[in-house]
mmCIF file of all heavy atoms in Angstrom:
data_model
loop_
_atom_site.group_PDB
_atom_site.id
_atom_site.type_symbol
_atom_site.label_atom_id
_atom_site.label_comp_id
_atom_site.label_asym_id
_atom_site.label_seq_id
_atom_site.Cartn_x
_atom_site.Cartn_y
_atom_site.Cartn_z
ATOM 1 N N ALA R 1 -194.501 -174.070 -4.581
ATOM 2 C CA ALA R 1 -195.436 -174.435 -3.515
ATOM 3 C C ALA R 1 -194.761 -175.335 -2.478
ATOM 4 O O ALA R 1 -195.003 -175.181 -1.275
ATOM 5 C CB ALA R 1 -196.666 -175.122 -4.096
ATOM 6 N N HIS R 2 -193.901 -176.225 -2.939
ATOM 7 C CA HIS R 2 -193.177 -177.105 -2.011
ATOM 8 C C HIS R 2 -192.181 -176.329 -1.152
ATOM 9 O O HIS R 2 -191.764 -176.818 -0.102
ATOM 10 C CB HIS R 2 -192.482 -178.229 -2.757
ATOM 11 C CG HIS R 2 -193.431 -179.275 -3.241
ATOM 12 N ND1 HIS R 2 -193.080 -180.225 -4.162
ATOM 13 C CD2 HIS R 2 -194.738 -179.520 -2.958
ATOM 14 C CE1 HIS R 2 -194.113 -181.018 -4.407
ATOM 15 N NE2 HIS R 2 -195.124 -180.590 -3.688
ATOM 16 N N ARG R 3 -191.787 -175.159 -1.616
ATOM 17 C CA ARG R 3 -190.902 -174.283 -0.831
ATOM 18 C C ARG R 3 -191.694 -173.308 0.013
ATOM 19 O O ARG R 3 -191.187 -172.286 0.445
ATOM 20 C CB ARG R 3 -189.966 -173.510 -1.759
ATOM 21 C CG ARG R 3 -188.986 -174.372 -2.520
ATOM 22 C CD ARG R 3 -187.796 -174.753 -1.646
ATOM 23 N NE ARG R 3 -186.884 -175.624 -2.340
ATOM 24 C CZ ARG R 3 -185.775 -175.229 -2.951
ATOM 25 N NH1 ARG R 3 -185.441 -173.956 -2.940
ATOM 26 N NH2 ARG R 3 -185.007 -176.099 -3.562
ATOM 27 N N ASN R 4 -192.978 -173.626 0.209
ATOM 28 C CA ASN R 4 -193.889 -172.846 1.048
ATOM 29 C C ASN R 4 -194.128 -171.427 0.557
ATOM 30 O O ASN R 4 -194.375 -170.534 1.366
ATOM 31 C CB ASN R 4 -193.419 -172.844 2.515
ATOM 32 C CG ASN R 4 -193.436 -174.222 3.105
ATOM 33 O OD1 ASN R 4 -194.359 -174.992 2.855
ATOM 34 N ND2 ASN R 4 -192.419 -174.563 3.868
ATOM 35 N N ARG R 5 -194.038 -171.228 -0.737
ATOM 36 C CA ARG R 5 -194.397 -169.932 -1.311
ATOM 37 C C ARG R 5 -195.916 -169.904 -1.432
ATOM 38 O O ARG R 5 -196.530 -170.855 -1.898
ATOM 39 C CB ARG R 5 -193.768 -169.735 -2.689
ATOM 40 C CG ARG R 5 -192.271 -169.940 -2.742
ATOM 41 C CD ARG R 5 -191.514 -168.747 -2.164
ATOM 42 N NE ARG R 5 -190.125 -169.052 -1.918
ATOM 43 C CZ ARG R 5 -189.135 -168.951 -2.783
ATOM 44 N NH1 ARG R 5 -189.383 -168.560 -4.008
ATOM 45 N NH2 ARG R 5 -187.893 -169.233 -2.430
ATOM 46 N N ARG R 6 -196.499 -168.817 -0.988
ATOM 47 C CA ARG R 6 -197.952 -168.660 -1.060
ATOM 48 C C ARG R 6 -198.259 -167.730 -2.214
ATOM 49 O O ARG R 6 -197.948 -166.536 -2.154
ATOM 50 C CB ARG R 6 -198.488 -168.107 0.254
ATOM 51 C CG ARG R 6 -198.342 -169.093 1.391
ATOM 52 C CD ARG R 6 -198.819 -168.469 2.701
ATOM 53 N NE ARG R 6 -198.193 -169.143 3.824
ATOM 54 C CZ ARG R 6 -197.057 -168.770 4.408
ATOM 55 N NH1 ARG R 6 -196.417 -167.701 3.983
ATOM 56 N NH2 ARG R 6 -196.562 -169.451 5.418
ATOM 57 N N PHE R 7 -198.879 -168.266 -3.250
ATOM 58 C CA PHE R 7 -199.174 -167.505 -4.452
ATOM 59 C C PHE R 7 -200.455 -168.041 -5.068
ATOM 60 O O PHE R 7 -200.937 -169.102 -4.679
ATOM 61 C CB PHE R 7 -198.004 -167.605 -5.460
ATOM 62 C CG PHE R 7 -197.706 -169.007 -5.895
ATOM 63 C CD1 PHE R 7 -198.223 -169.507 -7.080
ATOM 64 C CD2 PHE R 7 -196.894 -169.833 -5.123
ATOM 65 C CE1 PHE R 7 -197.951 -170.804 -7.479
ATOM 66 C CE2 PHE R 7 -196.611 -171.127 -5.521
ATOM 67 C CZ PHE R 7 -197.140 -171.625 -6.704
ATOM 68 N N THR R 8 -200.988 -167.280 -5.992
ATOM 69 C CA THR R 8 -202.199 -167.715 -6.695
ATOM 70 C C THR R 8 -201.948 -167.697 -8.192
ATOM 71 O O THR R 8 -201.084 -166.979 -8.685
ATOM 72 C CB THR R 8 -203.393 -166.801 -6.370
ATOM 73 O OG1 THR R 8 -203.070 -165.465 -6.732
ATOM 74 C CG2 THR R 8 -203.771 -166.862 -4.904
ATOM 75 N N VAL R 9 -202.722 -168.506 -8.884
ATOM 76 C CA VAL R 9 -202.559 -168.635 -10.329
ATOM 77 C C VAL R 9 -203.900 -168.427 -11.014
ATOM 78 O O VAL R 9 -204.923 -168.941 -10.576
ATOM 79 C CB VAL R 9 -202.028 -170.050 -10.686
ATOM 80 C CG1 VAL R 9 -201.900 -170.218 -12.191
ATOM 81 C CG2 VAL R 9 -200.687 -170.323 -9.997
ATOM 82 N N TYR R 10 -203.869 -167.642 -12.071
ATOM 83 C CA TYR R 10 -204.970 -167.573 -13.031
ATOM 84 C C TYR R 10 -204.508 -168.412 -14.211
ATOM 85 O O TYR R 10 -203.392 -168.249 -14.687
ATOM 86 C CB TYR R 10 -205.224 -166.136 -13.498
ATOM 87 C CG TYR R 10 -205.770 -165.241 -12.419
ATOM 88 C CD1 TYR R 10 -204.917 -164.501 -11.617
ATOM 89 C CD2 TYR R 10 -207.143 -165.132 -12.216
ATOM 90 C CE1 TYR R 10 -205.409 -163.673 -10.627
ATOM 91 C CE2 TYR R 10 -207.639 -164.297 -11.229
ATOM 92 C CZ TYR R 10 -206.769 -163.572 -10.439
ATOM 93 O OH TYR R 10 -207.255 -162.758 -9.460
ATOM 94 N N CYS R 11 -205.344 -169.290 -14.659
ATOM 95 C CA CYS R 11 -204.971 -170.196 -15.746
ATOM 96 C C CYS R 11 -205.974 -170.064 -16.890
ATOM 97 O O CYS R 11 -207.174 -170.166 -16.663
ATOM 98 C CB CYS R 11 -204.947 -171.635 -15.225
ATOM 99 S SG CYS R 11 -204.310 -172.822 -16.405
ATOM 100 N N THR R 12 -205.459 -169.808 -18.097
ATOM 101 C CA THR R 12 -206.371 -169.699 -19.240
ATOM 102 C C THR R 12 -206.904 -171.074 -19.602
ATOM 103 O O THR R 12 -206.200 -172.075 -19.505
ATOM 104 C CB THR R 12 -205.675 -169.087 -20.460
ATOM 105 O OG1 THR R 12 -204.592 -169.918 -20.871
ATOM 106 C CG2 THR R 12 -205.186 -167.680 -20.177
ATOM 107 N N GLU R 13 -208.126 -171.089 -20.034
ATOM 108 C CA GLU R 13 -208.787 -172.344 -20.405
ATOM 109 C C GLU R 13 -208.111 -173.011 -21.611
ATOM 110 O O GLU R 13 -208.036 -174.217 -21.709
ATOM 111 C CB GLU R 13 -210.251 -172.045 -20.715
ATOM 112 C CG GLU R 13 -211.114 -173.249 -20.824
ATOM 113 C CD GLU R 13 -212.574 -172.874 -20.981
ATOM 114 O OE1 GLU R 13 -212.879 -171.843 -21.605
ATOM 115 O OE2 GLU R 13 -213.407 -173.621 -20.469
ATOM 116 N N SER R 14 -207.629 -172.184 -22.516
ATOM 117 C CA SER R 14 -206.876 -172.634 -23.696
ATOM 118 C C SER R 14 -207.725 -173.463 -24.653
ATOM 119 O O SER R 14 -207.429 -174.616 -24.937
ATOM 120 C CB SER R 14 -205.622 -173.397 -23.277
ATOM 121 O OG SER R 14 -204.762 -173.526 -24.385
ATOM 122 N N ARG R 15 -208.730 -172.813 -25.166
ATOM 123 C CA ARG R 15 -209.553 -173.454 -26.186
ATOM 124 C C ARG R 15 -208.833 -173.458 -27.512
ATOM 125 O O ARG R 15 -207.988 -172.608 -27.728
ATOM 126 C CB ARG R 15 -210.894 -172.734 -26.302
ATOM 127 C CG ARG R 15 -211.765 -173.042 -25.102
ATOM 128 C CD ARG R 15 -213.168 -172.525 -25.345
ATOM 129 N NE ARG R 15 -214.018 -172.914 -24.258
ATOM 130 C CZ ARG R 15 -214.862 -173.940 -24.296
ATOM 131 N NH1 ARG R 15 -214.945 -174.670 -25.382
ATOM 132 N NH2 ARG R 15 -215.607 -174.234 -23.283
ATOM 133 N N PRO R 16 -209.046 -174.362 -28.403
ATOM 134 C CA PRO R 16 -210.094 -175.375 -28.391
ATOM 135 C C PRO R 16 -209.698 -176.658 -27.657
ATOM 136 O O PRO R 16 -210.543 -177.499 -27.407
ATOM 137 C CB PRO R 16 -210.334 -175.652 -29.872
ATOM 138 C CG PRO R 16 -209.013 -175.440 -30.503
ATOM 139 C CD PRO R 16 -208.359 -174.327 -29.715
ATOM 140 N N SER R 17 -208.436 -176.828 -27.310
ATOM 141 C CA SER R 17 -208.018 -178.084 -26.682
ATOM 142 C C SER R 17 -208.441 -178.180 -25.214
ATOM 143 O O SER R 17 -208.519 -179.271 -24.664
ATOM 144 C CB SER R 17 -206.493 -178.236 -26.760
ATOM 145 O OG SER R 17 -205.854 -177.297 -25.906
ATOM 146 N N CYS R 18 -208.682 -177.024 -24.590
ATOM 147 C CA CYS R 18 -209.039 -176.954 -23.158
ATOM 148 C C CYS R 18 -207.947 -177.537 -22.265
ATOM 149 O O CYS R 18 -208.228 -178.031 -21.171
ATOM 150 C CB CYS R 18 -210.389 -177.606 -22.890
ATOM 151 S SG CYS R 18 -211.744 -176.736 -23.703
ATOM 152 N N SER R 19 -206.708 -177.464 -22.712
ATOM 153 C CA SER R 19 -205.601 -178.000 -21.917
ATOM 154 C C SER R 19 -205.406 -177.213 -20.629
ATOM 155 O O SER R 19 -204.865 -177.735 -19.654
ATOM 156 C CB SER R 19 -204.314 -178.017 -22.740
ATOM 157 O OG SER R 19 -203.986 -176.721 -23.188
ATOM 158 N N GLY R 20 -205.867 -175.963 -20.603
ATOM 159 C CA GLY R 20 -205.773 -175.177 -19.381
ATOM 160 C C GLY R 20 -206.631 -175.739 -18.261
ATOM 161 O O GLY R 20 -206.314 -175.580 -17.085
ATOM 162 N N ARG R 21 -207.707 -176.406 -18.616
ATOM 163 C CA ARG R 21 -208.541 -177.054 -17.599
ATOM 164 C C ARG R 21 -207.747 -178.128 -16.854
ATOM 165 O O ARG R 21 -207.838 -178.241 -15.635
ATOM 166 C CB ARG R 21 -209.782 -177.680 -18.229
ATOM 167 C CG ARG R 21 -210.792 -176.695 -18.702
ATOM 168 C CD ARG R 21 -211.988 -177.408 -19.274
ATOM 169 N NE ARG R 21 -212.928 -176.460 -19.861
ATOM 170 C CZ ARG R 21 -214.020 -176.805 -20.469
ATOM 171 N NH1 ARG R 21 -214.355 -178.075 -20.577
ATOM 172 N NH2 ARG R 21 -214.819 -175.891 -20.971
ATOM 173 N N LYS R 22 -206.974 -178.893 -17.605
ATOM 174 C CA LYS R 22 -206.153 -179.935 -16.988
ATOM 175 C C LYS R 22 -205.063 -179.292 -16.118
ATOM 176 O O LYS R 22 -204.772 -179.759 -15.024
ATOM 177 C CB LYS R 22 -205.529 -180.829 -18.052
ATOM 178 C CG LYS R 22 -204.779 -182.027 -17.496
ATOM 179 C CD LYS R 22 -204.386 -182.983 -18.606
ATOM 180 C CE LYS R 22 -203.772 -184.264 -18.191
ATOM 181 N NZ LYS R 22 -203.225 -184.462 -16.928
ATOM 182 N N MET R 23 -204.493 -178.207 -16.601
ATOM 183 C CA MET R 23 -203.482 -177.491 -15.828
ATOM 184 C C MET R 23 -204.082 -177.009 -14.514
ATOM 185 O O MET R 23 -203.479 -177.181 -13.449
ATOM 186 C CB MET R 23 -202.945 -176.317 -16.652
ATOM 187 C CG MET R 23 -201.929 -175.456 -15.948
ATOM 188 S SD MET R 23 -200.339 -176.262 -15.879
ATOM 189 C CE MET R 23 -199.298 -174.842 -15.574
ATOM 190 N N ALA R 24 -205.270 -176.411 -14.576
ATOM 191 C CA ALA R 24 -205.929 -175.924 -13.365
ATOM 192 C C ALA R 24 -206.204 -177.068 -12.393
ATOM 193 O O ALA R 24 -205.989 -176.936 -11.189
ATOM 194 C CB ALA R 24 -207.219 -175.193 -13.728
#
């Protein structure tokens, strides 16, 4: 992103820890 690349991310929620929420 800092190199001005335009992209999108799908991030899994990652249950049961829900660490994907923090990543998102």
Side-chain angles (χ1 to χ4, degrees):
H2 286 166
R3 295 280 177 98
N4 296 320
R5 307 284 166 87
R6 292 177 204 92
F7 60 96
T8 58
V9 178
Y10 292 91
C11 187
T12 62
E13 192 174 34
S14 195
R15 287 190 175 260
S17 70
C18 295
S19 59
R21 288 181 186 178
K22 186 171 186 341
M23 178 76 160

